[in-house]
């Protein structure tokens, strides 16, 4: 949790949309909130008044996971909150299940196109076909090589081979590609795509200069830090410098931008939040350097240093990914040495 959350402002106070209802944030911009079956129990989705091929309607930004409850909540939104107009396109910020999950159902339901970056589209298609990685035995072996060895966790991770597909059983068969700096006309306003790396393969945030709004996706969140993980698909990945550089580029946006995050409440204080996230990771780097100086450490050894609390399995897998991301960043920057020990575990010590 962000201990400096009080430095941000929440112009809507405690207002939250009821399930199946919306809150209007600006003319033609509506906020929807859907449930998630995790510790992070909700996702924010956005409706933008749109026009395409001579028809009036709505663009949806992000979808929620595939579940009966999410479909039912959408049906209520369609019935009561769209002013009787259709959905004309579905825009997805990135391929994670809570954002991508129902894209197949929504695009079929409304016979409309999915808009997403090409990298995230392809990653979603791979991940939703159960024969590929993103979990299962390869994830378990990768975690084990970084010190997560207790048999109960290993067994659960091995058994989770269809984790992504359970929430994203299908991906639409076609899409329209979003690229960094693309300007998309949505209804009466231009929205500019801002690519972000480190959290997802090619995350797209959307900025509307005229409305002063940023749909930040998961790149900037007010209460929690964005998950930046290394996974088994790319064991030597170095996503943290990519993430921090992407954040730095968002400083070019006006300081009074109203940020619409995927989790938490709309807030002002974009530049302050960027400062907070950068110092958060600087502190983590410093703590890891101290711990590794005492004795060589694996990513699993460092979970308590980084997270300072007991984690359930779902949280542990995310936390392992984050621990490895910090270690890879220090290793690939030449500050830590990585050594493969006789027990098959990588440990890190200062150079
Ligand atoms: Zn995400």
């Amino acid at each position: 949790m962000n201990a400096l959350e009080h430095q941000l402002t929440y112009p809507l106070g405690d207002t939250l949309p009821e399930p199946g209802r919306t809150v209007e944030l600006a003319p033609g911009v509506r906020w929807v909130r859907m449930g998630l079956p995790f510790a992070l129990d909700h996702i924010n989705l956005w409706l933008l008044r749109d026009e395409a091929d001579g028809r009036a309607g709505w663009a949806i930004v992000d979808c929620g996971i595939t579940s009966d409850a999410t479909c039912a909540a959408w049906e209520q939104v369609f019935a009561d909150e769209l002013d009787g107009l259709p959905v004309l396109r579905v825009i997805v910020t990135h391929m994670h299940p809570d954002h991508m999950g129902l894209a197949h159902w929504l695009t079929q339901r409304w016979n409309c196109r999915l808009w997403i970056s090409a990298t995230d589209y392809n990653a979603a298609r791979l991940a939703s076909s159960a024969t590929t990685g993103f979990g299962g035995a390869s994830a378990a072996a990768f975690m084990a090589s970084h010190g997560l060895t207790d048999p109960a966790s290993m067994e659960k991770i091995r058994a989770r081979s269809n984790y992504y597909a359970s929430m994203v059983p299908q991906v639409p068969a076609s899409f329209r590609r979003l690229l960094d700096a693309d300007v998309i006309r949505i209804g009466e306003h231009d929205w500019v795509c801002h690519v972000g790396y480190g959290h997802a393969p090619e995350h797209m945030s959307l900025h509307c200069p005229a409305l002063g709004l940023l749909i930040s996706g998961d790149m900037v969140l007010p209460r929690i830090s964005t998950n930046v993980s290394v996974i088994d698909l790319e064991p030597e990945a170095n996503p943290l410098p990519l993430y921090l550089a992407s954040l730095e580029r968002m400083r070019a946006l006006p300081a009074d931008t109203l940020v619409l995050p995927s989790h938490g409440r709309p807030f002002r204080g974009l530049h302050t939040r960027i400062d907070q996230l950068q110092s958060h990771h600087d502190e983590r780097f410093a703590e890891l350097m101290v711990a590794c100086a005492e004795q060589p450490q694996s990513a699993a050894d460092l979970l308590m240093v980084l997270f300072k609390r007991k984690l359930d399995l779902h949280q542990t897998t995310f936390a392992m990914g984050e621990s490895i991301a910090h270690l890879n960043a220090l290793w690939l920057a030449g500050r830590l040495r990585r050594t493969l020990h006789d027990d098959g575990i990588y440990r890190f010590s200062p150079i």
Side-chain angles (χ1 to χ4, degrees):
M1 287 296 166
N2 178 9
L4 299 174
E5 194 184 7
H6 62 274
Q7 296 174 347
L8 309 175
T9 58
Y10 291 104
L12 285 96
D14 293 329
T15 304
L16 295 177
E18 298 289 320
R21 298 278 165 203
T22 62
V23 168
E24 185 139 88
L25 301 168
V29 179
R30 294 180 185 173
W31 173 19
V32 183
R33 206 167 154 99
M34 299 264 180
L36 292 177
F38 313 122
L40 183 58
D41 63 359
H42 70 277
I43 179 168
N44 299 319
L45 314 167
W46 317 100
L47 299 174
L48 308 176
R49 193 62 171 72
D50 200 2
E51 232 177 272
D53 306 320
R55 287 197 305 159
W58 295 89
I60 288 177
V61 182
D62 286 337
C63 305
I65 62 165
T66 297
S67 73
D68 292 343
T70 319
C71 290
W74 271 125
E75 288 295 354
Q76 198 183 338
V77 169
F78 300 155
D80 301 335
E81 302 286 323
L82 298 189
D83 307 336
L85 296 173
V87 174
L88 301 174
R89 57 182 145 181
V90 174
I91 300 169
V92 170
T93 56
H94 65 295
M95 52 88 64
H96 291 160
D98 41 340
H99 303 259
M100 183 71 181
L102 274 177
H104 65 102
W105 180 78
L106 289 167
T107 53
Q108 276 171 20
R109 170 85 169 67
W110 293 102
N111 189 27
C112 66
R113 189 73 67 221
L114 165 68
W115 295 50
I116 187 173
S117 75
T119 320
D120 277 58
Y121 177 76
N122 289 311
R125 287 202 69 159
L126 271 177
S128 78
S129 61
T131 52
T132 59
F134 295 98
S138 59
F142 176 62
M143 300 273 179
S145 76
H146 282 281
L148 191 73
T149 52
D150 79 279
S153 300
M154 282 294 97
E155 197 174 320
K156 283 186 197 149
I157 294 170
R158 258 185 233 111
R160 264 197 346 179
S161 57
N162 70 342
Y163 182 67
Y164 188 86
S166 69
M167 291 173 285
V168 192
Q170 273 184 61
V171 171
S174 58
F175 74 109
R176 182 150 167 185
R177 183 178 189 178
L178 295 178
L179 284 165
D180 186 35
D182 276 355
V183 179
I184 315 171
R185 188 78 181 172
I186 302 175
E188 293 176 2
H189 298 290
D190 285 335
W191 291 77
V192 185
C193 292
H194 284 255
V195 73
Y197 297 106
H199 172 68
E202 192 186 359
H203 182 297
M204 288 295 166
S205 301
L206 296 167
H207 177 235
C208 181
L211 293 173
L213 296 177
L214 173 69
I215 294 177
S216 64
D218 280 349
M219 286 297 292
V220 185
L221 304 171
R223 294 198 89 172
I224 52 175
S225 64
T226 297
N227 181 275
V228 177
S229 277
V230 176
I231 61 170
D232 57 291
L233 194 72
E234 193 187 351
E236 288 80 34
N238 196 7
L240 255 174
L242 292 174
Y243 174 70
L244 294 170
S246 297
L247 272 189
E248 193 52 44
R249 283 199 305 276
M250 280 196 184
R251 261 186 218 282
L253 302 182
D256 63 352
T257 300
L258 181 63
V259 182
L260 312 185
S262 293
H263 311 285
R265 290 173 289 152
F267 71 95
R268 284 208 173 81
L270 174 63
H271 294 188
T272 303
R273 187 61 182 134
I274 291 170
D275 290 339
Q276 291 173 353
L277 288 164
Q278 288 175 335
S279 41
H280 167 83
H281 288 293
D282 284 344
E283 285 162 25
R284 295 296 162 280
F285 285 137
E287 286 171 346
L288 292 194
M289 289 303 294
V290 169
C292 291
E294 283 167 16
Q295 62 178 57
Q297 305 273 0
S298 72
D301 294 334
L302 293 165
L303 290 181
M304 270 319 277
V305 175
L306 285 173
F307 297 94
K308 302 173 181 69
R309 63 198 156 93
K310 192 127 179 56
L311 305 166
D312 67 23
L313 179 75
H314 183 73
Q315 294 166 324
T316 299
T317 55
F318 277 105
M320 280 294 291
E322 294 223 29
S323 182
I324 299 163
H326 284 89
L327 288 168
N328 275 7
L330 292 167
W331 165 50
L332 294 165
R335 295 177 65 191
L336 290 178
R337 171 186 298 110
R338 187 178 85 163
T339 311
L340 183 59
H341 287 228
D342 290 340
D343 56 6
I345 294 173
Y346 290 113
R347 291 186 180 80
F348 296 79
S349 49
I351 285 183

